[in-house]
Amino acid sequence: MSNIALLERPSTAPLRTVPARPEADAPLNTAADLPAARSPRGFALYVGLDEIKAAEAGVSLPLLVDALRRTLAELAPGAETHATVALAPHGSGGKDLDVVRLALHEPGAIARTKAAAEDDAVDEEGGVTVDISRKRVLIDGESAAFTYKEFELLQYLVLREGRTIERSELVSALWQAQDDETPGERTIDVHVRRLRAKLGRYEDIVRTVRGIGYRFDRHADVVIRYGHGTPSPDRF
């Protein structure tokens, strides 16, 4: 998200904060959990809300900031506060909260942005990238036009690397009994053939085990990206 600027709304002296940990969404530790040389000095609350959504709720960003300050003044009169509004160009996209965290240099957001940039750099290289986190396949840096079922088929094999999967297992795992187009075991061969056609010169990453089924083995030309929420092979 480029060209992000910050508009500060100062009140009293800025709050001196402890640098945020990478696991920013983890529960807040108590003082007993921290090393003896460190102690909490305050906290940051990131609010993802643009002006349009605020107006739809019948409020505004300045009104919300003022309300939070008044509440804090009632609960802890001695607390120092500092409010900052995160700005981004119109149409820049992305979640409001992500914009805020990145604009305020939250370490976890910066780390994720850096990782995404590295991913984009990898996308430009050759080979096959099976991006499970984004449900896509890249071939020589270009997004391949896989159907939902073709991706599911490849993902099922990838998550069970080195194991031969029988055709009957693929049918029962990837098609529900009530599906109108539930294939027979031999029809799986047709789906695999289409999958391989889209893999092009990398078609051999899906191997045939004669008389049994199919298998995915680790391959030098293949990169697998596992994201949060990747299905467990035991439950998928």
Side-chain angles (χ1 to χ4, degrees):
M1 222 160 290
S2 60
N3 301 324
I4 293 179
L6 299 180
L7 172 64
E8 297 187 351
R9 298 176 183 273
S11 55
T12 56
L15 176 62
R16 190 183 301 274
T17 60
V18 177
R21 294 166 300 149
E23 52 274 359
D25 293 328
L28 181 65
N29 286 346
T30 62
D33 297 325
L34 297 174
R38 300 173 63 191
S39 62
R41 296 292 301 273
F43 66 92
L45 173 65
Y46 300 126
V47 179
L49 184 71
D50 62 29
E51 293 177 312
I52 295 176
K53 293 176 183 176
E56 291 174 348
V59 294
S60 66
L61 298 185
L63 182 62
L64 288 174
V65 171
D66 184 61
L68 290 172
R69 277 186 172 147
R70 283 188 281 106
T71 299
L72 185 59
E74 294 175 1
L75 297 175
E80 299 174 318
T81 63
H82 176 80
T84 299
V85 175
L87 302 179
H90 288 294
S92 58
K95 295 182 179 180
D96 292 334
L97 188 57
D98 291 340
V99 172
V100 173
R101 295 173 72 174
L102 186 60
L104 301 183
H105 305 289
E106 192 270 317
I110 293 175
R112 282 189 293 275
T113 301
K114 181 179 179 181
E118 291 174 351
D119 283 349
D120 290 340
V122 172
D123 290 349
E124 298 176 359
E125 299 178 0
V128 178
T129 299
V130 181
D131 191 342
I132 293 176
S133 63
R134 299 183 185 179
K135 299 291 183 184
R136 65 175 182 169
V137 177
L138 302 174
I139 299 177
D140 293 332
E142 298 293 330
S143 182
F146 276 46
T147 65
Y148 175 77
K149 196 61 70 176
E150 288 166 349
F151 182 85
E152 277 195 322
L153 177 58
L154 180 59
Q155 176 180 256
Y156 195 91
L157 295 172
V158 165
L159 290 177
R160 291 155 184 82
E161 176 186 336
R163 175 185 153 201
T164 298
I165 309 299
E166 296 182 1
R167 293 177 176 85
S168 59
E169 180 179 338
L170 290 171
V171 172
S172 61
L174 302 180
W175 280 268
Q176 302 300 320
Q178 64 271 21
D179 286 352
D180 295 333
E181 299 181 358
T182 302
E185 291 185 19
R186 289 299 169 185
T187 312
I188 286 292
D189 296 341
V190 176
H191 287 276
V192 172
R193 191 155 53 244
R194 291 172 180 168
L195 173 63
R196 282 174 168 161
K198 293 184 179 181
L199 288 171
R201 63 194 180 100
Y202 304 105
E203 63 177 356
D204 63 343
I205 68 174
V206 176
R207 301 180 181 275
T208 299
V209 180
R210 190 175 299 277
I212 302 178
Y214 299 96
R215 185 180 74 231
F216 169 80
D217 291 322
R218 179 64 63 180
H219 197 287
D221 291 325
V222 182
V223 174
I224 311 298
R225 292 185 191 158
Y226 300 95
H228 295 296
T230 297
S232 165
D234 297 326
R235 296 185 295 124
F236 175 67

